[in-house]
Amino acid sequence: MAENKLKTPCKAVVIGGSAGSIEVLLKLLPALPSVLSFTVIIVVHRKNSAESSLANLLSLKTAVPIQEVEDKDAVLPGSMYLAPADYHLLIEKQGVFSLDNSEKVNYSRPSLDVTFESAADVYGPAMVGILLSGANADGTAGLKAVKNAGGVIVAQKPETAMSGFMPQQAILNTPIDFILDVNELIEFVRSLNTAS
Amino acid sequence: MMIEDEEVDLVLNDLFEIYGYDFTNYARASLKRRINRLFTLDRFPSFAEFRYRLKSDADYLKHVVEGLTVTVTEMFRDPLFYKTLRTEVVPTLSAKPFIRIWHAGCATGEEVYSMAILLKEANLLHKSLLYATDLNPEALEKARRGIFPMAQMKLYSENYIESGGKQDFSSYYTAQYGQVKFEDKLAEKMIFSTHNLVSDRSFNEFDLVLCRNVLIYFDKDLQDRTLRLFDESIGKLGYLALGSKETLNFSTIKPKYKQLNKEKIWRKIS
């Protein structure tokens, strides 16, 4: 990938997914270098459970452990964060996370739209929003907000997704910048890194 | 159309200047989202019209306060938390002549009824008082009535069993027209009152203060102020219980408290 379209150094990569996205994350996250110049924020729909096992599962092969967010945790570059089950995840301009357990959005909590929209408000053109496999329409409005704020938006190629509906919605309804399969996605995220 | 940061400031200023509600130290990202949600749901053509309505219509203010505060709650939410209350906290209170508990930010009261059930099953309800406060009068009115939707009872019953409950959960309520009413015996020991954690003071000394999923809507400064208010309100060896993703770690009161294993329950040790 010669050109990632970002006009300013990337500060945050926000990745949203639902059914079928965990297998993509299990390939993508371990392929990222151990030193990253940006923050990675991951939001995945899942059943509410007391155990935070998804963060552990995703951290198995990554260089940096993935941290499940607690309220007002600092948002640091080079770190990877996961939205906890049953809370919406928002980002404050002071560089901390806020959790919110108000009404579900698109039948989901965490909702991808909520995090994409909040990140767009904070990072503007310095962010990338990536939408992975899923069977619901969450994420499309959020990617629109990212695009409107000047960020870059990416969808997983629907035919490579276990559930193509969610990325397909975004492709149909937003001016998507890139439609990528998993290997292209890995290459794309690596191209955003300016740390060495 | 979106309400931007400067306009959020104007709304917060109006709420404070005209009505005395101080939301300025609420976590701005979720507050902004809720203001935008109201603005969209109520279909205002412009921000100016939204602001005019808010400034001139006290009934609309009520609706705004309800819309800005989150009242999502459930009975025996996070069942393992209730299990810890049941097995490790409630037994240490049993020798006291009186047990005083404060549910701060109780919303529609589901957690207060859960607590009353725990106390009843430990044979302690008769000597307990449960103070339940919220800044939202409409939510408190619902809490006072003890009437909840029937559709939730399956989940609540499962939560109750997972929390270690041994009774038939449906024995605590009577069902009618898609609603259930919890038995009056549970509510007898509850005192409902409006209280704003931003502006009101400590009003008693408690053995246990529960404030779950309220601090997440505050910024760090207001969180710390509120935690100090709780500290002033918790007696020797009393407990403080927070939501599953909330913490004392950023607060000045932390050294005075010891956390109980993995749950978000702290005991005052000095």
Side-chain angles (χ1 to χ4, degrees):
Chain A
M1 192 119 356
E3 178 65 68
N4 59 38
K5 285 202 188 178
L6 241 73
K7 297 181 186 77
T8 169
C10 179
K11 287 191 186 152
V13 173
V14 181
I15 306 172
S18 189
S21 65
I22 290 172
E23 57 178 80
V24 181
L25 290 167
L26 285 171
K27 286 184 189 138
L28 168 65
L29 300 176
L32 300 182
S34 59
V35 184
L36 288 173
S37 53
F38 47 81
T39 306
V40 177
I41 299 166
I42 302 157
V43 184
V44 179
H45 293 161
R46 62 193 195 275
K47 202 176 174 302
N48 181 20
S49 77
E51 291 297 317
S52 308
S53 48
L54 183 59
N56 297 336
L57 173 72
L58 293 176
S59 297
L60 279 178
K61 291 191 213 154
T62 58
V64 190
I66 288 147
Q67 189 185 332
E68 191 177 88
V69 175
E70 291 223 332
D71 184 54
K72 303 299 175 299
D73 275 345
V75 186
L76 300 172
S79 295
M80 300 206 267
Y81 301 94
L82 175 70
D86 210 27
Y87 289 87
H88 297 305
L89 178 67
L90 298 105
I91 300 137
E92 299 288 343
K93 290 189 170 146
Q94 293 79 11
V96 297
F97 287 108
S98 276
L99 297 176
D100 175 321
N101 84 345
S102 58
E103 306 79 3
K104 291 181 177 183
V105 176
N106 305 316
Y107 312 101
S108 308
R109 190 174 52 221
S111 144
L112 314 185
D113 279 344
V114 169
T115 303
F116 280 136
E117 284 166 3
S118 173
D121 202 19
V122 171
Y123 296 109
M127 77 164 280
V128 173
I130 301 175
L131 191 61
L132 303 178
S133 174
N136 106 1
D138 196 14
T140 293
L143 285 189
K144 247 183 227 169
V146 172
K147 187 73 191 171
N148 287 340
V152 168
I153 56 176
V154 181
Q156 183 181 357
K157 200 177 277 180
E159 54 274 33
T160 70
M162 195 184 95
S163 263
F165 183 82
M166 201 161 77
Q168 190 65 51
Q169 285 304 302
I171 292 163
L172 290 173
N173 296 298
T174 71
I176 202 96
D177 292 296
F178 297 101
I179 301 165
L180 306 175
D181 68 22
V182 177
N183 287 329
E184 290 165 338
L185 199 57
I186 290 170
E187 207 182 314
F188 174 80
V189 178
R190 290 176 70 106
S191 81
L192 302 168
N193 197 21
T194 57
S196 49
Chain B
M1 209 179 86
M2 279 274 292
I3 292 181
E4 295 302 334
D5 293 326
E6 300 73 33
E7 296 163 334
V8 171
D9 287 334
L10 291 175
V11 171
L12 299 190
N13 205 42
D14 292 344
L15 283 168
F16 185 61
E17 295 275 314
I18 305 170
Y19 300 108
Y21 279 104
D22 185 358
F23 286 100
T24 49
N25 282 97
Y26 273 53
R28 199 50 75 92
S30 45
L31 190 61
K32 186 177 176 184
R33 190 173 85 80
R34 295 199 75 74
I35 291 176
N36 270 294
R37 185 174 170 274
L38 264 179
F39 177 73
T40 309
L41 285 176
D42 294 345
R43 299 167 179 271
F44 284 99
S46 70
F47 172 72
E49 284 177 68
F50 173 61
R51 192 176 174 207
Y52 177 76
R53 179 85 188 274
L54 174 62
K55 286 170 79 161
S56 59
D57 181 349
D59 283 334
Y60 188 65
L61 165 82
K62 274 210 275 187
H63 172 73
V64 169
V65 170
E66 268 179 80
L68 296 191
T69 52
V70 174
T71 57
V72 174
T73 177
E74 61 186 58
M75 289 187 77
F76 295 95
R77 168 179 231 165
D78 308 320
L80 297 181
F81 165 83
Y82 278 92
K83 192 165 206 169
T84 306
L85 275 189
R86 201 188 274 277
T87 57
E88 292 182 44
V89 174
V90 170
T92 68
L93 303 177
S94 62
K96 290 184 167 283
F98 281 115
I99 300 170
R100 286 194 185 87
I101 295 174
W102 178 17
H103 288 265
C106 69
T108 43
E110 281 81 344
E111 299 213 31
V112 192
Y113 284 85
S114 309
M115 191 72 218
I117 289 172
L118 281 195
L119 292 166
K120 184 162 191 264
E121 293 183 355
N123 256 324
L124 297 173
L125 186 59
H126 64 281
K127 61 171 180 176
S128 302
L129 273 180
L130 291 90
Y131 293 77
T133 65
D134 202 278
L135 73 83
N136 179 346
E138 311 285 319
L140 275 180
E141 192 45 45
K142 286 187 189 159
R144 195 174 278 125
R145 287 199 295 265
I147 296 173
F148 302 111
M150 184 68 203
Q152 298 291 331
M153 291 305 132
K154 182 172 174 291
L155 171 69
Y156 294 174
S157 173
E158 288 164 4
N159 284 355
Y160 166 78
I161 291 164
E162 212 186 317
S163 80
K166 302 256 186 316
Q167 307 299 312
D168 176 2
F169 187 64
S170 65
S171 68
Y172 288 112
Y173 60 77
T174 45
Q176 210 171 16
Y177 305 117
Q179 310 260 49
V180 307
K181 166 105 178 72
F182 276 80
E183 60 182 31
D184 289 331
K185 275 237 169 300
L186 294 174
E188 264 171 21
K189 297 295 182 178
M190 298 175 190
I191 298 167
F192 294 97
S193 167
T194 55
H195 182 278
N196 188 336
L197 291 168
V198 178
S199 50
D200 292 331
R201 304 205 41 91
S202 170
F203 57 94
N204 212 329
E205 191 170 286
F206 298 96
D207 303 298
L208 167 61
V209 173
L210 299 103
C211 182
R212 305 183 67 222
N213 295 313
V214 174
L215 296 181
I216 50 177
Y217 301 108
F218 296 173
D219 71 13
K220 272 188 176 177
D221 287 343
L222 181 56
Q223 287 187 348
D224 191 46
R225 255 162 57 201
T226 308
L227 288 168
R228 278 185 279 135
L229 167 69
F230 293 153
D231 182 48
E232 285 167 28
S233 312
I234 295 172
K236 205 176 158 197
L237 295 176
Y239 297 90
L240 173 62
L242 302 179
S244 66
K245 299 296 166 192
E246 293 168 331
T247 178
L248 281 193
N249 287 345
F250 306 125
S251 166
T252 47
I253 71 164
K254 192 190 175 196
K256 300 162 83 171
Y257 289 81
K258 188 173 183 295
Q259 190 170 6
L260 263 68
N261 52 50
K262 273 166 63 191
E263 291 302 329
K264 294 302 179 78
I265 303 172
W266 286 264
R267 190 166 203 190
K268 191 172 192 171
I269 50 169
S270 69

